[in-house]
Each structure stands twice: as structure tokens, then as C-alpha cells.
């Protein structure tokens, strides 16, 4: 006589079923690819502006076939000026974000893996630095020593490193107790080997994902300083274009709309690209 077998079904059977990991990974990869593509699509007009701009024309000509974004009060093509300002804004954003990551990542790893005294000292330093507003410090520096893009990048980077520091410190402290890190230490791996082979590959991607936030903040800070007349006078800037176009807003709206849209597209586009590089689960 054949015995009948009754399979025991766990109470949480929907959660207990194995998930389709490959399918989830493919969906996550497609989502990150779409975010990266959207970011590049938003950045495309900003990056291609120097190649698409025309020459001079009649003053305050509206957008048309010859001048896609119109001309300013001196007859200069707005799209060409937009491309010139992109070099300044993207340099400020990339330089400020790069300096903040270069400082925050190693200091955060040192605080997370070091002793108590080192952790407390670096954490207090990061808290004190976070209290200083970068834009205000750059404003004071520009008022006394004169506007300079290099000084602006230094100020923005030196005041923005607490954000990647906190992320790197949290990741390092979590990975320090991970089984593979404990096993490497038990097998006699040194500090730098554990740091380079086991901690840094897991801690760096979440920290690098915040580059979009740092970049957007630096671009907006440079535009704000240029808007109030404290930007680098030797360089074109989107903030200065907005300031120059405000008196003519009633008759030439494109003088303000074009650089404002460029600021938004650059900040959001880089944010999407940075978010697409974020690892799953973060």
C-alpha cells in the first residue's frame, strides 16, 4: 500500500519561497541602465552646447532656426555662451566633488578601522567642518581675496568632505565585523591588505554614489556666487548669465530660461548617473 505524503507548508510560505535572484538582478541592471541613460540624455544639451552654438546676430533675437536659444543684448548667441559657461560650472562641480571624495573616503575608512581615539578625533573634526556653510565661506573669501575658480573649488571641497566621510566610516565599521574580513584577519592578513582587498571594494561604491549630490551642490554654489557678482570675472558662468538676463526678463525671457535650465539639467543628470552606479541594496 502506497503511503501518502503530506508536505508541511510553513506559515510564512510566500516569504519562504526562493526568489528569482537572476531576474531581480536583471531588473536592477535595467533600472540602473535606464537611470544612467536618462542622466546622459539630460547632460547631452549641456555637453554639446559649445558645438551647437552659432555666431553673432541681431540683438535680442528670439529663439529660431539660426540661433536656437536666441541672442543677448549684444547679439551673442545664447547657446554658445551656454557652452562657455558649462566649462566653468562643470569644472567647479567636478573639482569640488572630487576633492570632497578624495578627503572623505580615506578619512572615513581610517575612522572606521582605526582605534577609538582616531575615530573620535576625526568624527569631531567632521562635525565641526559640517557646521561651516561652504557658500558663506566662499562668499567671505571672495570678498577679501577676490573671486577665483580655484579658491572656490578648494572651499567647496574642504567643506563638503563630511558627507562622504560619514558614509565611508559607516561602511568600514559594518564591514569590519563581516565574516570574510574576520577570516582574513584570522589568517594573518595585515591592515593594508584587509583594507585594500576586503574593505575598500565594499565601502567605495556607496561613497562614490554621493558624488551627484556633491556635484550639484558645487555647481549651484558657483552659480550663486557668480549671480551676486563674486564669480571669476575671467570665466563665463551660468549664474552670471542669469543675473545679466534678469533686467531684460520681460522682453527676452530666454536669457534667463536657458542658463537656469542648464543648471537644473546638469545637477539632475549627474545625480541620475551617480545613482545608476550605486550597488544594489544601498
Amino acid at each position: 500500500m502506497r503511503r501518502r505524503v503530506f508536505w508541511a507548508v510553513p506559515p510564512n510560505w510566500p516569504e519562504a519561497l526562493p526568489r528569482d535572484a537572476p531576474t531581480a538582478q536583471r531588473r536592477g541592471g535595467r533600472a540602473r541602465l535606464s537611470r544612467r541613460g536618462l542622466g546622459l540624455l539630460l547632460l547631452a544639451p549641456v555637453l554639446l552646447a559649445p558645438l551647437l552654438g552659432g555666431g553673432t546676430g541681431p540683438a535680442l533675437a528670439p529663439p529660431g532656426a539660426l540661433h536656437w536659444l536666441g541672442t543677448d543684448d549684444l547679439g551673442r548667441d545664447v547657446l554658445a555662451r551656454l557652452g562657455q559657461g558649462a566649462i566653468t560650472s562643470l569644472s567647479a562641480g567636478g573639482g569640488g566633488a572630487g576633492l570632497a571624495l578624495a578627503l572623505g573616503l580615506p578619512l572615513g575608512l581610517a575612522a572606521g578601522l582605526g582605534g577609538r581615539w582616531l575615530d573620535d578625533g576625526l568624527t569631531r573634526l567632521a562635525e565641526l567642518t559640517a557646521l561651516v556653510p561652504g557658500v558663506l565661506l566662499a562668499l567671505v573669501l571672495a570678498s577679501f581675496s577676490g573671486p577665483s575658480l580655484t579658491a572656490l573649488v578648494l572651499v567647496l571641497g574642504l567643506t563638503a568632505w563630511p558627507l562622504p566621510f560619514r558614509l565611508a566610516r559607516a561602511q568600514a565599521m559594518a564591514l569590519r565585523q563581516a565574516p570574510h574580513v574576520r577570516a582574513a584577519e584570522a589568517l594573518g592578513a595585515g591592515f593594508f591588505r584587509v583594507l585594500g582587498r576586503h574593505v575598500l571594494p565594499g565601502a567605495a561604491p556607496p561613497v562614490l554614489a554621493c558624488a551627484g549630490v556633491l556635484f550639484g551642490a558645487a555647481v549651484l554654489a558657483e552659480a550663486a556666487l557668480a549671480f551676486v557678482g563674486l564669480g571669476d570675472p575671467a570665466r563665463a558662468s551660468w549664474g552670471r548669465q542669469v543675473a545679466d538676463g534678469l533686467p531684460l526678463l520681460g522682453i527676452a525671457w530666454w536669457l534667463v530660461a536657458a542658463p537656469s535650465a542648464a543648471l537644473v539639467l546638469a545637477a539632475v543628470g549627474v545625480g541620475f548617473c551617480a545613482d545608476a552606479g550605486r550597488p544594489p541594496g544601498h
Side-chain angles (χ1 to χ4, degrees):
M1 181 177 179
R2 182 179 299 177
R3 291 184 300 176
R4 303 177 64 183
V5 179
F6 295 92
W7 297 95
V9 179
N12 59 340
W13 67 270
E15 291 80 6
L17 293 177
R19 297 182 179 180
D20 190 358
T23 302
Q25 292 177 357
R26 287 195 297 269
R27 291 177 180 175
R30 287 196 296 266
R32 291 193 297 273
L33 184 62
S34 63
R35 288 195 297 268
R36 185 179 291 111
L38 180 58
L40 294 176
L41 181 62
L42 293 175
L43 280 172
V46 177
L47 299 177
L48 296 178
L51 304 177
L52 300 177
T56 59
L60 298 179
L66 185 59
H67 302 281
W68 292 2
L69 295 181
T71 60
D72 60 5
D73 54 341
L74 299 178
R76 296 172 297 184
D77 187 83
V78 174
L79 186 57
R81 294 195 65 204
L82 205 66
Q84 297 171 1
I87 300 175
T88 303
S89 298
L90 297 181
S91 298
L99 181 58
L101 290 175
L103 291 175
L105 179 58
L107 292 178
L109 294 178
L113 298 178
R116 178 181 177 182
W117 292 103
L118 181 61
D119 184 20
D120 290 343
L122 291 177
T123 303
R124 297 298 176 269
L125 180 61
E127 291 175 353
L128 291 176
T129 305
L131 295 176
V132 180
V135 178
L136 181 59
L137 183 59
L139 186 64
V140 173
L141 182 63
S143 301
F144 284 96
S145 62
S148 171
L149 181 62
T150 303
L152 175 63
V153 169
L154 290 176
V155 170
L156 295 177
L158 293 176
T159 55
W161 67 267
L163 176 59
F165 168 83
R166 294 191 185 101
L167 293 175
R169 176 178 176 271
Q171 291 293 321
M173 295 181 69
L175 291 173
R176 188 175 186 179
Q177 305 299 327
H180 65 283
V181 176
R182 301 293 294 273
E185 293 176 346
L187 292 175
F191 173 80
F192 291 102
R193 182 174 180 83
V194 171
L195 175 64
R197 294 290 299 274
H198 303 286
V199 177
L200 184 60
V207 177
L208 295 178
C210 74
V213 178
L214 300 173
F215 180 91
V219 169
L220 294 178
E222 187 277 330
L225 291 176
F227 179 81
V228 298
L230 293 177
D232 193 340
R235 296 175 178 268
S237 174
W238 292 337
R240 188 182 304 164
Q241 286 184 254
V242 175
D244 294 341
L246 277 180
L248 303 173
L249 182 60
I251 58 175
W253 55 267
W254 55 88
L255 298 180
V256 177
S260 301
L263 284 169
V264 175
L265 291 179
V268 176
V270 173
F272 273 115
C273 292
D275 186 64
R278 183 182 58 182
H282 293 83

